[in-house]
Amino acid sequence: MTDDRTSVTPGPVSTRARRFSLGRLWQGNAGRQIFVAILLFLVVLSFFSLSSNVFLSSQNLANLARSFSWLAMAAIGQGVVIVMGGIDLSVGATMALAGLVAGRCMQLGFSVALAIMLGLLVGVVVGAINGLLVARFHLPAFVVTLGTMGIQRGIAYGLTGGWSVTNMPEAFLGLGQSDVGFGLWTVPAPLLITLAVALLLSLFLRRTVMGGDIYAISSGERALVVSGVNVTRLKVFVYTLCGLLAAAGGLLLAARLGVAAPAAAVGAEVDVVAAAIIGGASLFGGVGGILGVLLGAAITQMLNNGLILLGYPSYWQTAAICTLMLVTFMLDYWRRQRQAAVHGTSD
Amino acid sequence: MEPLIKARNLSFSVGSLPLIQGVSLEILPGEVLGVAGQSGAGKSVLAMLLAGMQKPDSGELVFDGRRLEWPFRARDLGIEVIHQQPEMVEGLDITRNVFLGNELGWSPRGRWLRVPDRRRMDIEAARILADLGMPYRSLRERVSNLTGEQRQLIAIARAMTHAARLIIIDDPGLLLSYPYQQKLLSLIQDWRSRGAAVLYGSDNIDHLMAVTDRILVLRHGRCISQRITEETDREQILAATFGSADQQELTPIIWALDSYYRAREQAEKLSSRQKALERDLGAPEVNRQIIDQLADQINVLDRANSALQEAQRRLLSELELERKRLAREIHDQVIQDLLAVGYRLEELESGPAVTPSLEDELQSVRSDVRKLVSDLRHICGELRPPTIDSLGLGPALQSFVHGWSNRTGIVVDLALDPNLGRLPEATELSIFRIVQEGLNNVRKHAGASRVDVRLEHTSPRRLLLSIADDGRGVPADFDLLQLSAEGHYGLSGVSERVALLGGRLKIRNQPESGALLQAEIPHPRVEPIASD
């Protein structure tokens, strides 16, 4: 017992202080992650700008912005889940199902607004189910969301018999295809929607107590419970938010393509998770931000777009994106190992 | 008064292992309920149940007239919990951890959309941590870099961020050093006087005796006894805790009193080893027997020790009674007779047949008698301080110290706690005897010119007596056992008295010069005189 108390003596504290300042550059988590993301963004941007002369054309940039919008929308939700230390693999299937439900409803003559609502409701329901299974019944998020991914995809095929839904109203397609003019500039509408959502969520994450709690969960869930925070409700909320944003991303995708297909966004969960991780969200939780996720989504879509412009078959896109994701993840992992060696804690 | 929290027949088990069995309790506002028990007796589990953080298998829990279930409700209702191990969010800094779940700030609706006000929280956190006396480099420091003690202090600070109505404290003392343990005890006093209810579970019976109003003893998850702190003593609590010592069966074994506490420590160690053995060996029959034998031995030892203590206590009180009787005898008989002799001599002196030489002779006899009377009065005072029965310890000490200083020419500075009040007779007498013996030692051995005697409360149930001189100090090879072996019983007497009162004695040299004798003595609560 007395041995424990000797740790209060100033000796170890002072050495820790010195190491702390040496490692500060390496340790300033949020700042460093954003720094890496910005650097990656600039590298990828300049690479494709130099190697392809159409990359920076206004036509291509508008294309990029539109495809960025739906991915970023889903990646923001994914980013919040990852910051909390979870993961949601069902987002790709949610995107497809939400698009299908909204499209089918519009075919059945529902108003556009109601159809959008119902499409978003799909995401809310699936997200809430994910959240409840993870938070209330303590099942691993990986398995739960893998399960709901398969279920949704199956329902999507089952409902449509494999056929796509087309002929959607102009009012809906406008969401993904129209532009909004700002004087000389025209900005794609989906980009504005995504950026507005991103701004709101960023404020929520950084400025509210609940946002702070989401960052805190991974390194002190018990402390939160002890302090009277309803962590179960918080987790359900975050998974629901992720489902909602994935559904919103799915609607943007359907609106952009003019088609809602059961096979839409197959493999999109990989892009979404990669965007969040490349953007600096740590799979260990507690680190990451909306700006980073936006950068990550931009990098991912630039790779998708740029590789095609350079004439590579589209099969290479996923390989490139996942390589980048693994490298980012390994950097994060090594940094944590080093911190653990210096501080005796993993975070 | 309605109890703030009421538990009836709480039971909780993990698998087939019962951790809490049928425990009922009530705590009134402004009351401190102590929970004693060995580690593993169920103190922590009980705390978790009362905090609403574990759902009991059966039983009922009512807080302020409402049933209690969920942890996030508990905090809103004003229940704070300080755990054995501090729960922290590692990635957050000190301020955020202090205000976790209770952030200050501007709120449009409810807690979750509240915008935290860092500046206000920093100021408040700094104030609370300064109050606790916790050192830190920066409020922005991440808690994962802090020591166990600092983390525990942050957990305590968390309970101070708002006015709690029930504070549940689950033995956080393990991570705290002595001054912070004392700080925690005084915090408990503050909470109590503010009218909050406190549940305080601890391994440290001295701490429990110092601050609680009632003590509940847990053994193997059952409530063994509930006692009012004023009406019990540490031996009874210990006996209940360890399940031994039927007070009636006195075994006549002579056992050095000083060794009692060492023996108890051994017993604690043995019983923890017993548990380890049971766990490791899956308890085959042979080990079972060894363990049973060990347990029996511990029981016998324990019983013997308490019997011995009881005997010693009786002996001391009879000694005091005898001294009192003797003092009265001398005072009422011998001194009165001598005074009568003095008057007779006076009458003779003024008689007709007195020659000048006879008158001188008579006068010198008369002054001898006067001196004899004053010596006898002094002896009476030593035997039974005359003021202690009527006026109490303080005046008795003042008059004794004054006389002693006059006789020896050594300057004494006596500082008494203003809220001393009246203590039980045995305690007052013991403290007086300790001062007496201590000053006698100073006169005989120290060669001092100045003595400081100080008697003050360290907590409402704890007095600290210190006697410091500026003399030679105690020799390096100072040893109480050695001294009593050589026939010097004075200081062993002091140490016995202190031990019987459940206190601690320390004798050591001061850094500058001279010896320091310190005795810390627990006693029943004295409510301070309402002047503050």
Side-chain angles (χ1 to χ4, degrees), chain A residues 148-223:
Chain A
T148 50
M149 167 174 116
I151 293 170
Q152 287 182 86
R153 196 61 84 175
I155 292 175
Y157 280 108
L159 277 181
T160 59
W163 292 95
S164 305
V165 176
T166 50
N167 293 329
M168 289 181 278
E170 280 302 319
F172 178 72
L173 298 181
L175 274 184
Q177 297 174 1
S178 67
D179 291 320
V180 179
F182 288 99
L184 290 176
W185 295 71
T186 56
V187 182
L191 183 64
L192 285 179
I193 297 173
T194 302
L195 290 183
V197 170
L199 184 68
L200 269 179
L201 271 181
S202 188
L203 283 176
F204 163 72
L205 274 185
R206 295 289 177 199
R207 291 278 174 269
T208 66
V209 167
M210 191 178 183
D213 287 349
I214 292 173
Y215 278 92
I217 281 189
S218 67
S219 69
E221 183 170 345
R222 234 192 107 60

Side-chain angles (χ1 to χ4, degrees), chain B residues 265-302:
Chain B
E265 212 177 288
Q266 287 298 321
E268 275 174 48
K269 257 188 218 152
L270 275 174
S271 78
S272 78
R273 250 178 239 156
Q274 166 186 344
K275 249 189 254 140
L277 265 177
E278 279 176 37
R279 209 173 39 234
D280 291 350
L281 301 175
E285 197 44 39
V286 183
N287 297 306
R288 189 79 251 159
Q289 282 173 11
I290 297 178
I291 289 161
D292 286 349
Q293 278 173 15
L294 269 176
D296 283 350
Q297 283 179 10
I298 294 168
N299 274 343
V300 171
L301 261 178
D302 240 12

Side-chain angles (χ1 to χ4, degrees), chain B residues 95 99 102-107 114-128 139-140:
Chain B
T95 304
F99 282 94
N102 190 28
E103 290 81 359
L104 303 176
W106 176 79
S107 173
R114 191 176 296 165
V115 179
D117 184 345
R118 286 285 335 207
R119 225 171 59 81
R120 235 174 85 205
M121 287 200 286
D122 280 345
I123 293 169
E124 272 293 289
R127 187 186 60 73
I128 293 172
L139 287 171
R140 289 283 176 283

Side-chain angles (χ1 to χ4, degrees), chain B residues 74-92:
Chain B
R75 198 113 198 263
D76 290 343
L77 293 174
I79 303 179
E80 287 291 335
V81 190
I82 300 171
H83 293 266
Q84 208 164 24
Q85 293 294 328
E87 296 289 350
M88 297 280 125
V89 177
E90 303 297 337
L92 296 183

Side-chain angles (χ1 to χ4, degrees), chain B residues 144-353:
Chain B
S144 55
N145 295 337
L146 301 179
T147 63
E149 180 167 78
Q150 285 173 309
R151 293 157 67 92
Q152 189 60 278
L153 288 170
I154 290 174
I156 294 173
R158 202 180 282 160
M160 298 165 69
T161 54
H162 69 144
R165 300 173 66 199
L166 168 67
I167 299 113
I168 295 173
I169 306 170
D170 177 20
D171 210 357
L174 292 177
L175 285 171
L176 299 178
S177 55
Y178 181 77
Y180 293 121
Q181 291 181 5
Q182 296 302 314
K183 183 72 207 174
L184 179 65
L185 294 185
S186 80
L187 264 180
I188 295 177
Q189 292 296 332
D190 288 351
W191 280 322
R192 176 182 183 273
S193 60
R194 266 212 337 249
V198 180
L199 179 104
Y200 179 38
S202 177
D203 278 345
N204 190 324
I205 292 181
D206 290 334
H207 288 178
L208 289 179
M209 297 297 293
V211 294
T212 57
D213 295 294
R214 283 180 299 130
I215 297 182
L216 179 150
V217 182
L218 283 181
R219 193 161 79 231
H220 303 313
R222 287 180 186 282
C223 172
I224 294 300
S225 78
Q226 271 204 54
R227 289 164 196 269
I228 294 172
T229 310
E230 306 279 64
E231 295 164 8
T232 186
D233 55 40
R234 48 175 296 144
E235 276 66 41
Q236 282 180 5
I237 298 293
L238 268 178
T241 308
F242 291 100
S244 61
D246 300 285
Q247 295 287 334
Q248 311 89 324
E249 282 186 60
L250 303 180
T251 319
I253 301 174
I254 299 301
W255 196 265
L257 192 68
D258 193 42
S259 313
Y260 173 75
Y261 290 103
R262 239 170 281 160
R264 210 190 69 224
E265 212 177 288
Q266 287 298 321
E268 275 174 48
K269 257 188 218 152
L270 275 174
S271 78
S272 78
R273 250 178 239 156
Q274 166 186 344
K275 249 189 254 140
L277 265 177
E278 279 176 37
R279 209 173 39 234
D280 291 350
L281 301 175
E285 197 44 39
V286 183
N287 297 306
R288 189 79 251 159
Q289 282 173 11
I290 297 178
I291 289 161
D292 286 349
Q293 278 173 15
L294 269 176
D296 283 350
Q297 283 179 10
I298 294 168
N299 274 343
V300 171
L301 261 178
D302 240 12
R303 220 172 294 153
N305 288 329
S306 36
L308 186 83
Q309 281 206 50
E310 192 47 45
Q312 177 78 0
R313 215 174 273 133
R314 270 209 311 272
L315 205 67
L316 269 183
S317 77
E318 261 159 39
L319 185 71
E320 289 294 350
L321 270 181
E322 184 60 25
R323 282 181 174 167
K324 193 173 174 179
R325 197 187 59 78
L326 205 60
R328 191 174 301 139
E329 204 111 302
I330 292 176
H331 185 266
D332 294 355
Q333 288 289 315
V334 183
I335 292 183
Q336 301 311 319
D337 289 353
L338 275 173
L339 286 176
V341 171
Y343 295 137
R344 288 276 310 281
L345 286 172
E346 209 172 333
E347 279 169 26
L348 281 179
E349 239 175 90
S350 56

